[in-house]
């Protein structure tokens, strides 16, 4: 599982693991992969600093990176309050009625929503970068296209590679023109925000479109066989996110959600705008069904939808209201049938990869005779 990119970064396996949990990111790097900490939830710089300090103390000198969410288009002078004021009253009433229908309690007095869209605002992402660049991160990834040109330049000045996610070859070419070092080709099967092209089609299209830039394959990958397939398609590694949600190092704070993930099949996700206003693959729940129902008001565009549902999502998660409880996750959830340590996941990936490569070599050998 060695490629030119993995050798450049000094990692044993060309497996890049995105996760919101510092313990998972550190464990991925210790296991020989490349842990990438998702920064979107860190609206307070001191919180990010605390967790990067923790990673530094537990990564055993292995490389790691950071994933931020910086919008491709910046809107000057618009505050969160301005955006809040744009939310129609009818949508607020729909949220109220839906929560009341399922008896979702309020948050305890004085407790704020744990998830806010503020982490998607450029000024917040820039404060995250001010913290992160004080640490020896080796990779900066952006989930909403290419970062601003000055951010790319700043990363390169500090010898930090820049990656950006793409759902089409057209997006990938734009990343290449913006000076991005690595393109993550994220297929339709992936969790979170994702496009409409499946990984088997998307990966070779992006590889061909941006050659010689290295490409990471993402979406629907959770076994060594699939890693081997991604490398056979021309990728220089894989980008895995959903697979880590049920690892023992993950901290979902919700036994009910963990149970739902372990019980879900690959057909139990839906690509819905219910969470942020952009299509994002997540567990299908009665919450996503309500928003996708033609009889409802429909979702709002980003960032309005995220602000609208932030308190509701926190209440659902806090009180583990099972019919509404969900999370972004990819179709690979069907393979996530038991809690395992990150190292055990890597052992399975490497074993399956070796078996797949041996099988292909045997087939090639027979055809050669």
């Amino acid at each position: 599982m060695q490629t030119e990119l993995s050798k450049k970064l000094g990692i044993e396996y060309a497996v890049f693991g995105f996760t919101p949990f510092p313990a998972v990111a550190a464990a991925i790097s210790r296991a020989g992969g490349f842990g990438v900490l998702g920064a979107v939830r860190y609206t307070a710089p001191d919180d990010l600093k605390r967790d990067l300090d923790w990673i530094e103390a537990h990564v055993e000198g292995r490389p790691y990176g950071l994933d931020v969410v910086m919008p491709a288009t910046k809107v000057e002078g618009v505050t969160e309050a301005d955006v809040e004021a744009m939310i129609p009253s009818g949508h607020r009433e729909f949220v109220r009625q839906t929560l009341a229908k399922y008896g979702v309690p309020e948050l305890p007095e004085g407790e704020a929503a744990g998830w806010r869209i503020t982490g998607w605002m450029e000024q917040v992402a820039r404060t995250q970068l001010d913290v992160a660049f004080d640490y020896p991160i080796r990779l900066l990834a952006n989930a909403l296209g290419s970062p601003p040109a000055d951010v790319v330049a700043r990363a390169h000045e500090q010898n930090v590679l820049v990656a950006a996610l793409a759902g089409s070859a057209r997006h990938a070419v734009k990343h290449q023109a913006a000076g991005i070092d690595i393109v993550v080709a994220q297929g339709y099967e992936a969790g979170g925000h994702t496009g409409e092209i499946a990984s088997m089609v998307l990966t070779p299209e992006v590889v061909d479109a941006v050659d010689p830039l290295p490409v990471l394959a993402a979406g629907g990958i959770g076994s060594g066989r699939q890693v081997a397939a991604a490398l056979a398609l021309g990728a220089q590694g894989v980008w895995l996110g959903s697979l880590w949600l049920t690892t023992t190092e993950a901290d979902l704070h919700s036994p009910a959600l963990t149970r739902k993930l372990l019980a879900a099949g690959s057909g139990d996700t839906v690509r819905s705008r219910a969470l942020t206003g952009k299509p994002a693959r997540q567990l299908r729940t009665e919450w996503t069904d309500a928003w996708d129902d033609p009889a409802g008001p429909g979702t709002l565009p980003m960032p309005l939808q995220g602000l609208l549902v932030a308190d509701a999502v926190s209440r659902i998660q806090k009180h583990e209201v099972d019919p509404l409880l969900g999370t972004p996750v990819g179709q690979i959830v069907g393979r996530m049938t038991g809690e395992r340590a990150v190292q055990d996941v890597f052992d399975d990936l490497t074993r399956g990869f070796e078996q797949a490569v041996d099988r292909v070599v045997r087939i090639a050998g027979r055809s050669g005779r």
Side-chain angles (χ1 to χ4, degrees):
M1 296 171 76
Q2 277 279 329
T3 66
E4 183 179 342
L5 179 61
S6 67
K7 293 174 183 176
K8 181 176 183 178
L9 287 168
I11 57 177
E12 189 175 355
Y13 307 116
V15 174
F16 294 71
F18 164 82
T19 175
F21 306 117
V24 176
I28 290 169
S29 290
R30 288 199 308 271
F34 192 99
V36 182
L37 180 68
V40 68
R41 66 190 178 95
Y42 294 99
T43 55
D46 286 347
D47 290 343
L48 178 58
K49 183 179 186 304
R50 177 200 64 217
D51 283 356
L52 288 176
D53 283 339
W54 191 94
I55 289 176
E56 272 291 297
H58 292 83
V59 82
E60 297 179 356
R62 306 292 183 92
Y64 63 94
L66 193 75
D67 179 280
V68 297
V69 180
M70 301 189 77
T73 303
K74 181 179 180 179
V75 181
E76 298 284 355
V78 178
T79 66
E80 184 177 339
D82 295 330
V83 179
E84 287 265 16
M86 298 169 64
I87 297 173
S89 60
H91 281 72
R92 293 190 185 279
E93 178 62 18
F94 178 75
V95 170
R96 189 195 68 77
Q97 291 178 359
T98 304
L99 295 178
K101 175 182 176 181
Y102 291 92
V104 182
E106 297 282 349
L107 290 173
E109 186 175 352
E111 182 173 326
W115 180 84
R116 297 291 288 175
I117 203 71
T118 47
W120 299 71
M121 294 183 169
E122 181 175 338
Q123 62 266 33
V124 176
R126 286 185 178 276
T127 63
Q128 294 166 350
L129 293 178
D130 288 340
V131 171
F133 282 134
D134 285 336
Y135 292 82
I137 62 171
R138 295 292 310 280
L139 175 72
L140 172 67
N142 188 37
L144 282 183
S146 305
D150 68 296
V151 172
V152 176
R154 184 180 178 188
H156 287 166
E157 286 171 3
Q158 299 196 206
N159 197 32
V160 175
L161 297 179
V162 181
L165 276 66
S168 71
R170 177 173 57 86
H171 292 155
V173 169
K174 289 183 178 180
H175 295 337
Q176 185 179 38
I180 299 302
D181 303 293
I182 302 167
V183 175
V184 181
Q186 180 165 282
Y188 172 82
E189 309 94 326
H193 294 118
T194 188
E196 299 180 342
I197 305 173
S199 298
M200 184 65 72
V201 175
L202 179 65
T203 302
E205 284 187 352
V206 171
V207 168
D208 291 345
V210 301
D211 183 62
L213 280 190
V215 172
L216 301 178
I221 301 172
S223 71
R225 285 178 291 174
Q226 292 163 320
V227 176
L231 299 191
L233 292 172
Q236 287 203 30
V238 293
W239 177 274
L240 311 182
S242 299
L243 195 63
W244 316 111
L245 289 173
T246 53
T247 56
T248 54
E249 292 90 345
D251 192 8
L252 285 177
H253 297 295
S254 174
L257 181 54
T258 299
R259 287 195 299 271
K260 290 189 77 170
L261 287 169
L262 295 176
S266 56
D268 292 327
T269 69
V270 63
R271 192 167 163 268
S272 171
R273 298 177 184 267
L275 186 61
T276 68
K278 283 184 176 292
R281 186 169 298 285
Q282 54 205 282
L283 279 181
R284 182 174 182 175
T285 66
E286 293 184 32
W287 177 256
T288 62
D289 286 348
W291 282 106
D292 295 339
D293 189 338
T299 57
L300 298 170
M302 181 186 276
L304 300 182
Q305 182 71 15
L307 284 170
L308 170 65
V309 305
D311 288 340
V313 170
S314 290
R315 287 168 59 184
I316 292 166
Q317 292 175 343
K318 174 75 174 181
H319 300 289
E320 296 190 309
V321 182
D322 196 84
L324 307 180
L325 185 63
T327 187
V329 70
Q331 292 179 331
I332 200 63
V333 70
R335 292 189 63 91
M336 296 156 52
T337 56
E339 293 184 77
R340 299 182 293 168
V342 167
Q343 183 62 62
D344 291 337
V345 173
F346 265 86
D347 290 344
D348 284 348
L349 289 174
T350 54
R351 187 182 307 112
F353 177 84
E354 291 170 357
Q355 291 170 350
V357 171
D358 287 345
R359 185 182 307 117
V360 171
V361 169
R362 289 196 302 272
I363 292 170
R366 287 196 296 270
S367 64
R369 289 195 296 270

